[in-house]
Amino acid sequence: MPAMKTRPTSAPLLKPGETVVLFDGVCKLCNGWARFLIRYDRQRRVRLATVQSPEGQALLAWAGMPLDEFDTMAVIRDRNYWERSDAFLEVVGQLPMRWQPLKLLRIFPRRLRDWAYDRIALNRYRLFGKYDTCLLPTADHESRFLKAHG
């Protein structure tokens, strides 16, 4: 099971048991990951928030993560959060059975998984590109994004 970190209080903006994936909204790779989750998470087990959004900033602050450096994806549920390769594995665990073999990546030591994750994360703009501004969700995907008032 991926290593989780725990905070003394439940995450703000989330309903009990709700999972949110925080991602870099200007990163083309990260946006592709968000579109992948929308497509394959048909049971709507995860919600999304960009780290640049007010919701994302509130969740980063709650987790004690930097508000201006977005070198990792984070997954938050209740009082728990996961980062880097552990976040990836936690999200995969929420996907349909056909994606469960990806959890086999857990056999690699966390240090190795995080090293590989960091190589991609730290070079993601150079490798995959960057948008000038955060992409806004399309109308049919808007309900998948966390909103402070909804």
Side-chain angles (χ1 to χ4, degrees), residues 123-136:
N123 293 292
R124 67 192 184 279
Y125 296 147
R126 187 173 54 78
L127 295 170
F128 300 98
K130 180 179 177 181
Y131 296 110
D132 292 331
T133 59
C134 279
L135 294 184
L136 298 174

Side-chain angles (χ1 to χ4, degrees), residues 29-126:
L29 173 64
C30 306
N31 274 275
W33 173 240
R35 285 191 302 274
F36 174 88
L37 291 174
I38 288 169
R39 179 175 180 184
Y40 291 106
D41 177 28
R42 293 193 179 107
Q43 292 185 346
R44 297 178 174 249
R45 292 183 174 181
V46 298
R47 302 218 30 218
L48 302 163
T50 64
V51 291
Q52 294 91 346
S53 70
E55 297 82 6
Q57 289 283 294
L59 290 168
L60 288 171
W62 168 84
M65 296 173 71
L67 302 179
D68 56 353
E69 294 177 29
F70 314 124
D71 294 334
T72 185
M73 169 182 58
V75 174
I76 298 174
R77 182 181 321 109
D78 298 322
R79 294 177 38 222
N80 307 309
Y81 70 100
W82 297 260
E83 299 176 80
R84 300 161 77 192
S85 67
D86 287 329
F88 174 80
L89 291 170
E90 183 61 26
V91 173
V92 166
Q94 302 293 313
L95 294 175
M97 286 301 294
R98 71 188 270 195
W99 300 106
Q100 296 306 301
L102 288 172
K103 291 193 310 187
L104 292 173
L105 292 171
R106 209 177 351 187
I107 65 170
F108 295 102
R110 179 177 299 112
R111 180 174 283 172
L112 180 61
R113 290 191 328 254
D114 284 347
W115 179 86
Y117 182 95
D118 289 345
R119 300 294 66 75
I120 296 168
L122 296 172
N123 293 292
R124 67 192 184 279
Y125 296 147
R126 187 173 54 78

